[in-house]
Every structure is written in structure tokens, then in C-alpha cells.
Amino acid sequence: MVEASARPRHYTTPPALVRRYTGDLSVESQRVRAQAGPIIADLLPPRPERPSLVASAGGPVTRILFTIPAYAVDSPPLAAAYQDLLAKLPAQTRFLVLTHESAAETVGGWSDRIDVVAGPDHINFSVWAEDGYVVVVDAGTTYFVEPFSFPRYGDSLVADLVANADPALERTQAPLYFQGGNLLIGDDFFLIGADYPANTLRYVGGILVPEPGERPADLVRRLYGEYLDPDRRLIYVGSSLPVPEQRTRRFTLDGAEWTEVLYAGNQPGTTQPVFHIDMLVTLAGRGDDGRYRVLVGDPRAAAEVLGTPTPAHAMPEVFDDIAAGLARQGFDVVRNPLPLVYVDDPDRRERWWYFATANNALVSDGVVYLPTYGHGAWPELAATDEANGRIWTGLGYEVVYLTDFHPFAENLGSVHCIKKYLARA
């Protein structure tokens, strides 16, 4: 459905804040990289003997990492979102913040709980602290585990910069393809979006060599466990239905021809309706019946709250299929409103569709921190903000509402994407 009038940004964003998936590996570059595997395999750092992933939900978060580049510090809407979040997180949480040298003094003044790591101004790291690694603990040591390749901006250097500055942190590497935002870690399981095991299959024969008689898919599953967490059950998340890839189409608005971008970030052959599962799935702990609860976003539920038709390109049937798959795995699945919205650029006559996701939230010790979207050009989304809050209250959580996250969401991320859990009590 095309609206009769434009909805331009009610905020300004810096040019350096580009889409979250920009710079990710293409299929061809993955294939070339895999062929180089045997040459550099001996150069990989040693891995933890018994890694245990830091959970996405559970006990109190005691330490958390943010990567806040200078462009975010200088951007009023981005800086306001960070300052609001830091002020609302619990008093026992320490913040480790990688920022640029030119912004270090400013960021250090945002909270007396911040430990600042000042990186060179010429390193172009992003706000997406979640993605370039996963965090595991082994024998009292915390490790950043990096994928075999992560070319996005200068984010592949974040673990090096932070670990070099903090003696309590180490880094290692796994010969696998993954990004932190496509993993969610529960108490005795962890979820991975199915696209990344599929990408890792391209490493077989190059980086990875199966044992005699071992199928490539079994090799990939085994190695995810060995390198990330052998004690948690690995569950893939994806849809068996066809998922549309990103495309553009023309439409007319106020007598002028415009272009709109649909299915943002979706690559050919994807099994995921959004390119990272943390945009559509939230872990919510175990209920009274012992089953683990997961929230799965529902575009239809959002449309019902807003009193509007469900956009055809909201892919509701794909989200339904993912929810059904998680239910078959034994989860208690709760559906929550996931609005599909857009931002308009009148100068370029371009409309960009994205999900105003409350699934991309922070969960800590009975408290959930929800991004909000009922602001500016989208005041009606206050209704879906509140509907999501009521769901969490019904699950026994205290709800803390955060400020406007449209500037992040239109770039395919939200609050869960701009942090990395380093430790829980």
C-alpha cells in the first residue's frame, strides 16, 4: 500500500551511518576467501578449550561494550539515544566504549561508569557493536571469537583495539561464517540464522575438511558447537518458504514518479525475512511450565493494532513459518507487533521500507529495554510501542522504554545491534 503523502525524516543522520549490511561478503568473495583457507589455517589464533557463550537473556548484565564512532557523538539523534540508554541501564553495569580519539573526552563525560578505549580517528568502525564477533568465557577468561572473514567497514579491527586495551579480554578466530546479530544465546541452547551455516558450507573443501564419511552439513554443525559452545544445543532459524530478495519498484506520489526499496537487506536465496534474527526474535526466559519463551515479530499483529491493512511486502507468512518452526522445537512462542514502516527522501524521491522492531531489545534480569518508534513522522506507532510493552509486562518483566530508534532502524538495526554483552552476573 502506498501512502498518499510523504513521510520525510524527522531527524538528520550523518552520511557515515550507512546500512548495517553494507560491506558484507558477497557469494563470490566468500568462495575466493574459502579457497585461501589452507594457506592461512596455521595462522589462526588458538581457541578456548571449552567456550561458553555469554547469554542474550538471563542474569544481570555487569559489563557491556559499545562502539560509538565520532560521527555518532556529533549526531544529535544518535548521541541522544546513547545517552538515554546509558542513563537507564542498571547501576551495576559497567560500560566499555570504543570511540575515536577526537570524541573520547566527550564520551567519557556521558557517565562515570564508562571505561573509554580511544581508537585512531582514521579507523572507520561503525555503531554496530553486536556483529563482528561473539563473546565466550572459558576458564575465567573472556574472548572475542571472530569469524573467518568480516569485511564490514573497519569493524574487523574492533576486537583487536578493545582486547589490546583491556588485559581482561582476549581474541581468537573460528574458521566459520557468522555475525553476532544472527545469533541469540539462551540458557542451554543457541540460535543461528540459517543463512550463515549455508554460507559456511562454501568453506568446505577450502578452509574446512570433513572427517571420513562426514557430510558437509554435519561438519558445519559440529564446528559451530566446538568453536562457540559445545554445551548448548544449536538450533537453526529460517523459513522453508520462499523469501523475497531486496528490490525496487516505481510508484507515483503527488503526481511525481518515485522509487521504493522493498525487502531491504535480503540477499538472493535467503531463508530469513530480515537479514539478522535479532531483528525478529527475542529471548524471554523460561515460563512456569519450564518451556523457554521466545517472541517472534508479527506484521499482521502490528497492522491490527494500527487499524491498517498488512502491507503485502511485510512477508507475514514467512514470520509465521519461523514461529511455527520454533514451536516445533519446543519453544513457547509469543507473537508481538512488528510494524513495517518507511522513510521518504523527497529530494531523491525514494521511499525506504524497514521494520520498526521492538524485538531488537535488551533483556536483563527481569527487565526489558524497548526501543520506541512513536515519534516524529510516525506518532501512531506509540500504540505498537505500548502493545509490545504490555506483552512483556504479561510475561513478568519490568518494561523500560528507550527513546526514538528510527535513525538506527531505518539502517536495519536497533538497540540490540549497538551493544555487545561482555559479562552477566
Side-chain angles (χ1 to χ4, degrees):
M1 181 181 67
V2 175
E3 293 289 334
S5 59
R7 298 207 193 201
R9 289 179 182 86
H10 55 275
Y11 48 87
T12 57
T13 54
L17 180 64
V18 295
R19 311 295 181 195
R20 187 179 174 196
Y21 61 85
T22 302
D24 281 2
L25 279 173
S26 67
V27 171
E28 180 57 30
S29 62
Q30 291 175 47
R31 185 177 296 111
V32 172
R33 181 70 170 164
Q35 291 171 347
I39 299 173
I40 65 171
D42 292 339
L43 303 179
L44 294 177
R47 60 187 172 100
E49 292 184 5
R50 198 76 183 180
S52 178
L53 288 159
V54 174
S56 302
V61 177
T62 56
R63 202 172 192 213
I64 192 169
L65 169 69
F66 297 96
T67 56
I68 309 179
Y71 70 74
V73 179
D74 295 335
S75 167
L78 302 186
Y82 280 110
Q83 290 173 298
D84 176 71
L85 175 60
L86 295 178
K88 290 175 177 174
L89 286 171
Q92 70 266 35
T93 305
R94 294 288 306 182
F95 312 127
L96 182 61
V97 178
L98 172 65
T99 188
H100 285 117
E101 292 171 342
S102 59
E105 184 176 355
T106 299
V107 171
W110 285 355
S111 171
D112 59 6
R113 293 183 281 152
I114 290 179
D115 301 314
V116 174
V117 177
D121 286 342
H122 60 264
I123 300 296
N124 182 30
F125 58 87
S126 80
V127 298
W128 311 119
E130 180 66 22
D131 290 340
Y133 30 72
V134 297
V135 176
V136 306
V137 177
D138 181 49
T141 300
T142 300
Y143 294 83
F144 292 105
V145 182
E146 298 177 279
F148 187 62
S149 183
F150 188 74
R152 189 193 301 171
Y153 328 115
D155 287 4
S156 61
L157 299 174
V158 168
D160 302 78
L161 292 169
V162 175
N164 287 342
D166 190 325
L169 299 172
E170 300 286 348
R171 58 169 294 273
T172 185
Q173 193 173 26
L176 302 163
Y177 188 86
F178 58 85
Q179 293 180 16
N182 217 25
L183 281 80
L184 291 169
I185 300 98
D187 51 8
D188 64 359
F189 66 91
F190 66 108
L191 309 178
I192 296 183
D195 287 351
Y196 289 175
N199 288 340
T200 302
L201 284 173
R202 299 188 179 96
Y203 291 174
V204 176
I207 303 168
L208 305 176
V209 179
E211 293 180 351
E214 186 176 32
R215 297 186 310 162
D218 294 336
L219 167 67
V220 169
R221 176 177 285 274
R222 173 171 63 84
L223 293 182
Y224 273 118
E226 290 180 3
Y227 277 88
L228 302 186
D229 197 316
D231 296 321
R232 283 181 165 96
R233 179 170 62 113
L234 169 58
I235 301 169
Y236 294 152
V237 178
S239 174
S240 60
L241 302 178
V243 179
E245 63 185 84
Q246 179 175 316
R247 68 182 182 90
T248 60
R249 71 182 180 190
R250 301 284 186 178
F251 71 98
T252 300
L253 181 61
D254 296 333
E257 187 177 77
W258 281 52
T259 299
E260 59 181 348
V261 180
L262 311 177
Y263 314 117
N266 286 2
Q267 299 298 313
T270 180
T271 66
Q272 302 173 205
V274 188
F275 85 122
H276 278 173
I277 61 171
D278 70 351
M279 296 291 283
L280 65 134
V281 178
T282 323
L283 304 187
R286 294 192 180 273
D288 293 339
D289 62 359
R291 289 187 300 160
Y292 204 99
R293 302 171 298 189
V294 295
L295 276 67
V296 179
D298 185 349
R300 285 197 192 93
E304 290 174 5
V305 171
L306 298 172
T308 61
T310 304
H313 54 284
M315 303 173 284
E317 67 285 347
V318 177
F319 290 93
D320 293 346
D321 189 56
I322 288 175
L326 288 169
R328 285 192 292 272
Q329 291 285 344
F331 290 99
D332 180 7
V333 176
V334 178
R335 305 304 300 276
N336 68 286
L338 180 63
L340 180 64
V341 299
Y342 58 85
V343 64
D344 288 328
D345 186 336
D347 294 332
R348 300 177 61 185
R349 294 180 180 173
E350 181 182 76
R351 172 168 292 176
W352 180 274
W353 289 86
Y354 62 95
F355 288 99
T357 173
N359 292 92
N360 200 266
L362 306 186
V363 183
S364 174
D365 193 33
V367 183
V368 62
Y369 299 84
L370 293 179
T372 61
Y373 301 97
H375 306 276
W378 289 94
E380 65 267 43
L381 293 185
T384 48
D385 293 338
E386 292 165 3
N388 275 298
R390 287 193 297 270
I391 289 172
W392 281 97
T393 300
L395 295 175
Y397 281 81
E398 175 189 350
V399 176
V400 177
Y401 291 104
L402 303 175
T403 191
D404 183 0
F405 266 80
H406 278 288
F408 296 98
E410 74 154 286
N411 289 285
L412 305 184
S414 194
V415 66
H416 188 269
C417 309
I418 64 171
K419 66 89 198 73
K420 193 70 180 183
Y421 297 128
L422 297 180
R424 289 183 183 267

